[in-house]
């Protein structure tokens, strides 16, 4: 039997409606739209495309988006200055720094210099600590999208065996903590994991975030499992695929996200949802 397809679109649409309402409410109270600053260093095409996409979605939802560009040769001190300026700017509610940074700049600087109240992608030291400690926190957008999708399709998590393939700071690791908060039994696999299939075959929920097309094939998946494919890979023919061999795995899994059309539909909206949340929390601090 073929798996149920877990599309991102219906969740994105429901969120858009809710966020538009919240954006109007914020604007009424604050006298200005909620605002995200998207900071990027250099002129990497992919990150410019992403910045434009955020800008477009922000406009559609009634938020404002400001692009802040630093040249590729910017130094650590320039990055710090930009972060301090945006952190101090009362007209900016959320800051998103586009990653990866050029090699000569340290991500640690952002984690330490970012105002945690504006950290809409949950990368600051404070946000990471809050997530670890189960405190309310702004969390990275992609893991937040995975949890929203699982909730929307009512996939049970408590007591379930969840295997995450990929242990990055932006996807795998924060997702592990979010799912621990839901009382799942979480295993995280990575490049050094031996016998990957032995782990993935045990998963009732399998999340894959690696960046390798066709890494996961049908015989690595437990029959009936829910499979969430976070990977986005561009093939030589320019087509986009995930990390999961969709056509064969859909014959084994109980439910599966498509690529494109799954998690990728939600990431931008999650960033803007967090911007509104950050904006509302900061507004509350002022009254
Ligand atoms: P990353 O390169 O930072 O991390 C990759 C992780 O995969 C690492 O932990 C590494 O140890 C692990 N890994 C690599 N090869 C492996 C293997 N053969 N077996 C098991 N584990 C292996 O990547 P990232 O930033 O976490 O992104 C992962 C993927 O998710 C990419 O395809 C990226 O484009 C995609 N992504 C999608 C969205 C979205 O909105 N859908 C958002 C962010 C990232």
């Amino acid at each position: 039997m073929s798996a149920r397809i877990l599309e991102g679109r219906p969740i994105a649409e429901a969120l858009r409606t809710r966020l538009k309402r919240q954006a109007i409410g914020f604007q009424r109270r604050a006298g200005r739209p909620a605002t995200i600053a998207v900071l990027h260093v250099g002129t990497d095409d992919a990150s410019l495309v992403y910045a434009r996409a955020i800008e477009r979605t922000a406009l559609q939802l009634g938020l404002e988006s400001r692009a802040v560009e630093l040249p590729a040769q910017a130094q650590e001190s320039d990055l710090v200055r930009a972060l301090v300026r945006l952190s101090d700017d009362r007209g900016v509610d959320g800051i998103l720094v586009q990653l990866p940074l050029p090699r000569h700049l340290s991500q640690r600087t952002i984690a330490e210099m970012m105002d945690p109240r504006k950290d809409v992608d949950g990368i600051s030291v404070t946000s990471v600590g809050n997530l670890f400690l189960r405190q309310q926190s702004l969390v990275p957008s992609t893991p937040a999208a995975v949890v929203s999708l699982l909730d929307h399709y009512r996939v049970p998590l408590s007591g379930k065996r969840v295997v995450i393939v990929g242990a990055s700071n932006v996807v795998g690791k924060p997702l592990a903590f979010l799912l621990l908060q839901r009382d799942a039994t979480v295993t995280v696999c990575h490049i050094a994991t031996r016998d990957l299939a032995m782990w993935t075959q045990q998963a009732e929920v399998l999340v894959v975030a690696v960046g390798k097309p066709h890494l996961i094939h049908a015989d690595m998946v437990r029959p009936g499992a829910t499979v969430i494919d976070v990977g986005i890979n561009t093939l030589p023919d320019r087509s986009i695929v995930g990390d999961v061999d969709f056509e064969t795995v859909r014959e084994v899994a109980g439910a599966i996200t498509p690529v494109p059309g799954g998690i990728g539909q939600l990431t931008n909206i999650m960033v803007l949802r967090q911007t509104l949340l950050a904006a509302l929390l900061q507004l509350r601090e002022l009254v």
Side-chain angles (χ1 to χ4, degrees):
M1 208 181 72
S2 203
R4 178 178 186 206
I5 308 299
L6 308 178
E7 305 264 3
R9 190 180 303 272
I11 308 161
E13 278 167 10
L15 273 170
R16 274 171 191 275
T17 309
R18 204 169 79 214
L19 295 184
K20 269 187 196 162
R21 229 181 12 245
Q22 284 180 357
I24 292 170
F26 176 85
Q27 177 147 13
R28 203 175 293 135
R29 286 166 60 196
R32 61 168 180 84
T35 300
I36 180 171
V38 182
L39 173 62
H40 61 101
V41 186
T43 48
D44 174 58
D45 281 353
S47 77
L48 279 173
V49 169
Y50 184 57
R52 299 272 141 72
I54 296 227
E55 210 165 291
R56 248 191 336 267
T57 315
L59 271 177
Q60 289 163 359
L61 299 179
L63 285 85
E64 197 172 294
S65 165
R66 272 194 221 167
V68 181
E69 291 171 32
L70 292 180
Q73 64 278 17
Q75 295 304 304
E76 202 83 10
S77 55
D78 301 314
L79 184 59
V80 169
R81 245 195 316 276
L83 281 170
V84 169
R85 191 165 44 79
L86 293 172
S87 295
D88 289 345
D89 186 337
R90 297 184 93 167
V92 170
D93 306 290
I95 306 168
L96 177 72
V97 181
Q98 296 221 268
L99 302 174
L101 293 170
R103 277 171 186 274
H104 66 282
L105 296 175
S106 148
Q107 206 170 311
R108 180 84 202 174
T109 305
I110 307 169
E112 285 171 358
M113 297 309 298
M114 167 87 74
D115 181 344
R117 295 170 310 167
K118 300 187 179 187
D119 175 21
V120 292
D121 213 11
I123 58 172
S124 70
V125 173
T126 303
S127 306
V128 174
N130 282 338
L131 178 61
F132 183 92
L133 295 170
R134 287 182 94 140
Q135 306 290 320
Q136 188 191 24
S137 175
L138 295 167
V139 295
S141 50
T142 308
V146 172
V147 174
S148 280
L149 185 131
L150 291 168
D151 284 348
H152 176 88
Y153 289 106
R154 298 181 195 282
V155 177
L157 291 169
S158 178
K160 297 292 173 189
R161 254 174 289 161
V162 178
V163 175
I164 301 169
V165 187
S168 70
N169 288 343
V170 286
V171 189
K173 276 194 267 179
L175 179 61
F177 284 100
L178 285 174
L179 295 175
L180 268 178
Q181 289 181 6
R182 300 302 189 87
D183 297 324
T185 302
V186 183
T187 302
V188 183
C189 300
H190 45 75
I191 185 84
T193 300
R194 275 178 286 137
D195 197 357
L196 181 63
M198 189 268 287
W199 297 101
T200 57
Q201 280 159 359
Q202 294 185 34
E204 293 168 288
V205 177
L206 175 63
V207 185
V208 191
V210 170
K212 295 211 166 123
H214 310 299
L215 177 70
I216 304 294
H217 36 91
D219 58 8
M220 297 171 80
V221 175
R222 177 188 162 112
T226 297
V227 179
I228 309 294
D229 191 354
V230 179
I232 300 178
N233 307 290
T234 309
L235 297 182
D237 68 0
R238 311 295 301 157
S239 60
I240 306 279
V241 296
D243 294 341
V244 175
D245 190 12
F246 184 81
E247 289 307 330
T248 60
V249 171
R250 71 186 295 185
E251 298 305 323
V252 181
I256 185 168
T257 57
V259 178
I263 295 299
Q265 291 269 321
L266 300 175
T267 317
N268 284 353
I269 298 195
M270 287 296 152
V271 170
L272 297 169
R273 181 176 82 168
Q274 307 247 81
T275 304
L276 269 168
L277 176 64
L280 289 164
L281 288 172
Q282 288 168 79
L283 190 62
R284 202 179 297 161
E285 277 178 19
L286 290 176
V287 290

